[in-house]
Amino acid sequence: MSWSSYLEDLDGKFDARLRESRIKTSTYEEGRIVLTSIIGMVEAAFNLEVLDRLRRPCFIAVERPSAGGDVYLIYEVVSASPIHYQQLSMDVSMPKALRLDFLDQIYSMWGKTEDAWIDILSVYTGYVMKLSSQEPLFERDETFVPLVGARVYLLSNKAVDKFINVDRGVELGRLLGFDLELKVDLERLIKYHGGTFGFTGTGKSNLTSLIVRKIMNSLEDTRVVIVDVAGEYVISLLDLVAREGVFYSIEDFKSMPNGVEALLASQAVPETLVEALEPHGGYSLLEEWIEKLFDNDKVKLIDLVTPIPLTLKMILERFETLARDDNPANAEKGRRVYQRIIQLRREKNLPLEEPLLKLARHVPSLIDEVKSIIESEVPREQSTGKRGVKTKFESAAEAILETLERLEEVEAPAEGGGVLPEDLAKAMVSPERSPKLTVLYIPDPYNARVFTERFIKSLLEARKRQIKGPRVLVVLDEAQEFIPDRQRADDYTSQSNVAVEQLLRQGRKYRLHCWISTQRVAHLNVNAVQQIHSYFAGTLPRSYDRHVIAEAAGVSPEILDKTALLDVGEWLLISYKATRIRGVPVFIKAPDNEKILVDNLVKLSVES
Ligand SMILES: Nc1ncnc2c1ncn2[C@@H]1O[C@H](COP(=O)(O)OP(=O)(O)O)[C@@H](O)[C@H]1O
Ligand SMILES: [Mg+2]
């Protein structure tokens, strides 16, 4: 092989030429999605070994002489079909005897005649390889037009390694079709947001767990927060929650007499996991681990009942601003309310930054007292009755009164109630106060949306004030619950959509990131999908879903259609940030998180 170890021809058996190159534009969904591919048709001499090799993912290189030295255009193979020229002239209208004779002839000649070949359909990756120096150089270049008849080679493992893998990257599975581990830049994988997309059971939660593991093992200074509506992650990451994490729920497992049992019963524990643990105690091993969580105070309560984190401080700030208003009447009223609330606060010795609802548990008259101070300055009948222009004071006072009234309608949370999403967010951005992993089990989608919206908003606010602190990744499995395309205020989907979109658009500069996962791309807010830079696509049975991903990820629909052949745990990865080369789709087999979990649960429980 004089032309280097980067091109391969299977000892001369892969004897192939470019037959045709064309641009193909396809329109889907009544013109809403337009996808373009540069298609390369290659014809290879018929050979069974070649045919076998082409069944697995591969890249091919089309030779292109140029003034600056040889260049190779890199295509990705979509499919390979064996063709015998006689089959082309066969016709079902032939008499049967003749047809069978034809078929016998064709079958006996595969591999023995020049008249059989392999048609290879491939799509251009947008990259060329230059072999002028010692190392191959991969560059994005769509200006080279290939020459029909040019020789075609397979890219060797070594070339693919150079093409795809990041130096010293984190291993995330095996590259299908190549004897290689995929190595990605994990930091960039999460930094630019990512997601897993595939039918139920393709392994999205498993892969998400695996990625969280990798983050915790190899990224310093990163916090992961998983909003779990399906009840999977405290189990799938149990060893990590026990070691460096915490589990929150809106059910108070801690105060239940059979908390361990109840917690385990609430989770979707895979049968395969219990089976794999059988030789080591099975279900009771899980119980032991959950018990450890309770013993180490890692099972906590989240408080969503307190819907509005209104504090005395927030009220005071509002009236203080009014006290400085240019309008003397506004300023006078503002000053009076401000002073009376300060006085109330002093008399009762109330903390300024606790939510009023919490304070109201100890001082039941509090909300009423604050209301009457404000109401004494707002002639109620006047402002509610007439449609006259409200003063600045009146608008502000009414907004606060309304909020206070809503607080009164809310059931007061249990004594010793849980943590507010706002407080969790504040703690998250300071490294001393946040565990590396936080799993929140919130099975009711409405509550999960409320939590997520309040958490993300506070996270962004906290980071805008104080830019320092760890990176935070928010994981939203079953993302269609949080960012559906149909949005309504009454089920809180509008609010959660706004918050998640904001995280996707602005998060990166505040070191806040998002990982989503869903089975139905069609039901997702497309704006959100387009903010993502790394896509793991599994089998997506509906063509619409594949087209949305193809469009958002900028790859050809032919490649996306190949996901139909993927097995559980196998993925098409398209990443614009985490692989060495932007946006080249690769197929991988991810390791099974469940295996890693079993190993760790057994190993660590023996150690402790
Ligand atoms: N990489 C993998 N290797 C082996 N088995 C896997 C892999 N990923 C998922 N599985 C198995 O497939 C099943 C479904 O996985 P899951 O992650 O729950 O799918 P999804 O979240 O897409 O519905 C589980 O039993 C899981 O253990
Ligand atoms: Mg899942």
Side-chain angles (χ1 to χ4, degrees):
M1 279 196 279
S2 58
W3 23 258
S4 97
S5 52
Y6 298 104
L7 298 172
E8 196 182 313
D9 68 355
L10 303 176
D11 301 323
K13 292 180 206 104
F14 185 76
D15 175 12
R17 303 296 186 91
L18 181 74
R19 194 174 64 218
E20 188 192 350
S21 171
R22 66 190 148 91
I23 293 175
K24 181 180 159 201
T25 300
S26 318
T27 307
Y28 306 98
E29 318 306 328
E30 281 124 24
R32 273 175 291 139
I33 298 180
V34 180
L35 300 171
T36 303
S37 325
I38 301 176
I39 301 276
M41 285 303 299
V42 170
E43 149 170 356
F46 181 86
N47 178 285
L48 282 176
E49 195 182 322
V50 170
L51 202 55
D52 275 349
R53 175 63 192 92
L54 294 173
R55 274 167 44 217
R56 291 176 290 132
C58 45
F59 293 101
I60 51 178
V62 177
E63 192 172 71
R64 170 68 158 83
S66 85
D70 274 1
V71 163
Y72 296 84
L73 282 73
I74 310 297
Y75 288 69
E76 191 156 5
V77 171
V78 173
S79 63
S81 347
I83 307 278
H84 191 291
Y85 99 102
Q86 282 193 348
Q87 82 189 60
L88 301 176
S89 60
M90 234 186 66
D91 195 321
V92 282
S93 67
M94 282 177 177
K96 186 174 177 193
L98 195 57
R99 230 165 54 226
L100 287 179
D101 195 39
F102 244 84
L103 289 174
D104 280 342
Q105 250 192 54
I106 291 175
Y107 191 67
S108 70
M109 290 197 310
W110 287 116
K112 297 186 193 121
T113 168
E114 295 283 297
D115 295 333
W117 67 91
I118 303 173
D119 261 356
I120 303 171
L121 170 67
S122 63
V123 293
Y124 186 44
T125 59
Y127 283 85
V128 297
M129 176 171 75
K130 293 183 175 164
L131 283 179
S132 39
S133 53
Q134 296 289 76
E135 292 272 283
L137 215 63
F138 292 94
E139 286 171 7
R140 185 157 196 103
D141 196 325
E142 308 214 25
T143 61
F144 277 105
V145 178
L147 304 179
V148 166
R151 286 206 68 98
V152 178
Y153 302 94
L154 292 162
L155 272 197
S156 72
N157 280 351
K158 199 168 155 188
V160 172
D161 189 30
K162 286 258 176 274
F163 189 31
I164 302 296
N165 279 336
V166 172
D167 287 340
R168 288 185 297 279
V170 171
E171 293 185 358
L172 217 55
R174 298 211 48 94
L175 280 164
L176 292 175
F178 306 96
D179 193 17
L180 287 172
E181 288 287 326
L182 167 73
K183 295 192 197 116
V184 301
D185 184 329
L186 193 61
E187 189 174 322
R188 287 164 66 86
L189 183 73
I190 62 163
K191 186 171 173 182
Y192 294 89
H193 315 303
T196 59
F197 305 88
F199 199 49
T200 307
T202 48
K204 300 181 297 296
S205 302
N206 195 304
L207 178 65
T208 302
S209 301
L210 180 87
I211 290 171
V212 171
R213 265 179 204 284
K214 298 279 177 180
I215 293 169
M216 294 189 58
N217 286 340
S218 48
L219 285 190
E220 288 291 309
D221 210 21
T222 302
R223 303 291 179 267
V224 179
V225 180
I226 305 175
V227 186
D228 184 11
V229 288
E232 301 174 289
Y233 286 94
V234 70
I235 302 295
S236 70
L237 296 169
L238 188 51
D239 50 321
L240 295 178
V241 178
R243 210 172 52 210
E244 343 179 47
V246 59
F247 173 70
Y248 282 93
S249 159
I250 53 170
E251 273 178 79
D252 194 0
F253 293 116
K254 219 165 47 175
S255 63
M256 295 180 194
N258 56 346
V260 173
E261 235 179 285
L263 196 162
L264 259 173
S266 73
Q267 302 295 302
V269 182
E271 270 173 45
T272 44
L273 174 64
V274 180
E275 271 165 33
L277 287 174
E278 214 53 77
H280 315 281
Y283 205 75
S284 33
L285 184 68
L286 286 180
E287 284 176 334
E288 276 169 39
W289 275 89
I290 299 286
E291 203 158 338
K292 261 189 244 174
L293 298 188
F294 280 92
D295 293 347
N296 297 323
D297 196 24
K298 285 172 174 295
V299 178
K300 293 177 191 280
L301 189 64
I302 191 100
D303 175 7
L304 288 181
V305 182
T306 312
I308 306 122
L310 184 69
T311 62
L312 281 178
K313 186 172 175 211
M314 288 155 76
I315 299 179
L316 283 169
E317 276 171 1
R318 195 76 195 88
F319 288 105
E320 194 189 17
T321 313
L322 285 167
R324 280 183 271 116
D325 199 80
D326 293 340
N327 176 320
N330 283 343
E332 182 53 34
K333 283 170 188 255
R335 199 155 36 238
R336 275 205 295 270
V337 174
Y338 180 80
Q339 276 162 358
R340 285 182 62 192
I341 294 179
I342 287 280
Q343 199 184 344
L344 176 74
R345 188 233 156 186
R346 255 193 235 116
E347 279 165 19
K348 309 219 181 230
N349 193 22
L350 299 170
L352 278 178
E353 302 208 43
E354 280 285 302
L356 276 189
L357 244 198
K358 275 196 171 171
L359 294 183
R361 274 186 228 136
H362 308 287
V363 190
S365 62
L366 179 64
I367 292 178
D368 254 353
E369 284 180 66
V370 176
K371 266 171 67 185
S372 65
I373 292 175
I374 300 172
E375 273 167 352
S376 69
E377 299 291 345
V378 191
R380 278 243 108 180
E381 62 288 354
Q382 181 193 322
S383 62
T384 48
K386 290 187 213 151
R387 299 205 110 230
V389 181
K390 284 178 198 160
T391 67
K392 214 190 245 178
F393 178 84
E394 280 165 357
S395 317
E398 272 170 35
I400 291 175
L401 282 173
E402 246 174 57
T403 312
L404 288 170
E405 269 155 29
R406 262 192 289 152
L407 284 189
E408 283 180 318
E409 287 164 17
V410 166
E411 240 179 280
E415 188 56 47
V419 180
L420 296 170
E422 289 77 13
D423 292 337
L424 200 64
K426 271 183 229 147
M428 198 59 60
V429 294
S430 77
E432 321 78 46
R433 290 168 60 208
S434 55
K436 284 181 90 170
L437 173 63
T438 304
V439 176
L440 295 125
Y441 171 54
I442 313 179
D444 175 46
Y446 178 88
N447 282 333
R449 283 172 214 132
V450 171
F451 170 83
T452 303
E453 190 251 359
R454 288 171 57 182
F455 180 73
I456 289 176
K457 266 169 85 180
S458 307
L459 209 53
L460 279 161
E461 267 166 34
R463 245 318 132 69
K464 283 175 185 172
R465 261 184 258 125
Q466 157 84 44
I467 194 75
K468 277 202 209 119
R471 202 182 274 298
V472 181
L473 177 69
V474 180
V475 177
L476 302 174
D477 200 335
E478 308 293 347
Q480 73 282 356
E481 298 289 0
F482 303 89
I483 41 173
D485 61 341
R486 252 177 268 110
Q487 303 165 21
R488 292 176 7 212
D490 63 343
D491 66 4
Y492 224 78
T493 46
S494 310
Q495 294 91 323
S496 63
N497 249 300
V498 170
V500 175
E501 251 192 69
Q502 205 178 0
L503 174 64
L504 290 168
R505 285 181 199 284
Q506 308 180 1
R508 183 158 44 91
K509 60 176 184 272
Y510 300 110
R511 293 200 315 294
L512 305 174
H513 318 284
C514 190
W515 191 270
I516 66 173
S517 171
T518 191
Q519 47 176 306
R520 243 358 272 282
V521 182
H523 295 163
L524 226 53
N525 170 350
V526 175
N527 293 334
V529 181
Q530 285 168 347
Q531 294 297 321
I532 285 176
H533 288 79
S534 295
Y535 303 80
F536 286 88
T539 303
L540 289 159
R542 293 184 180 80
S543 60
Y544 176 80
D545 290 359
R546 295 196 297 275
H547 297 148
V548 170
I549 297 287
E551 187 188 33
V555 298
S556 75
E558 290 82 6
I559 295 286
L560 244 296
D561 286 348
K562 285 195 80 175
T563 57
L565 303 173
L566 294 178
D567 206 344
V568 171
E570 294 181 346
W571 302 95
L572 171 65
L573 165 62
I574 310 144
S575 181
Y576 276 79
K577 299 292 176 184
T579 46
R580 174 138 160 179
I581 293 292
R582 290 175 46 196
V584 171
V586 287
F587 293 89
I588 64 158
K589 165 80 175 85
D592 185 359
N593 174 69
E594 222 167 276
K595 278 218 179 72
I596 303 172
L597 173 69
V598 168
D599 284 351
N600 287 351
L601 290 182
V602 172
K603 192 176 72 202
L604 297 173
S605 83
V606 170
E607 279 169 11
S608 66

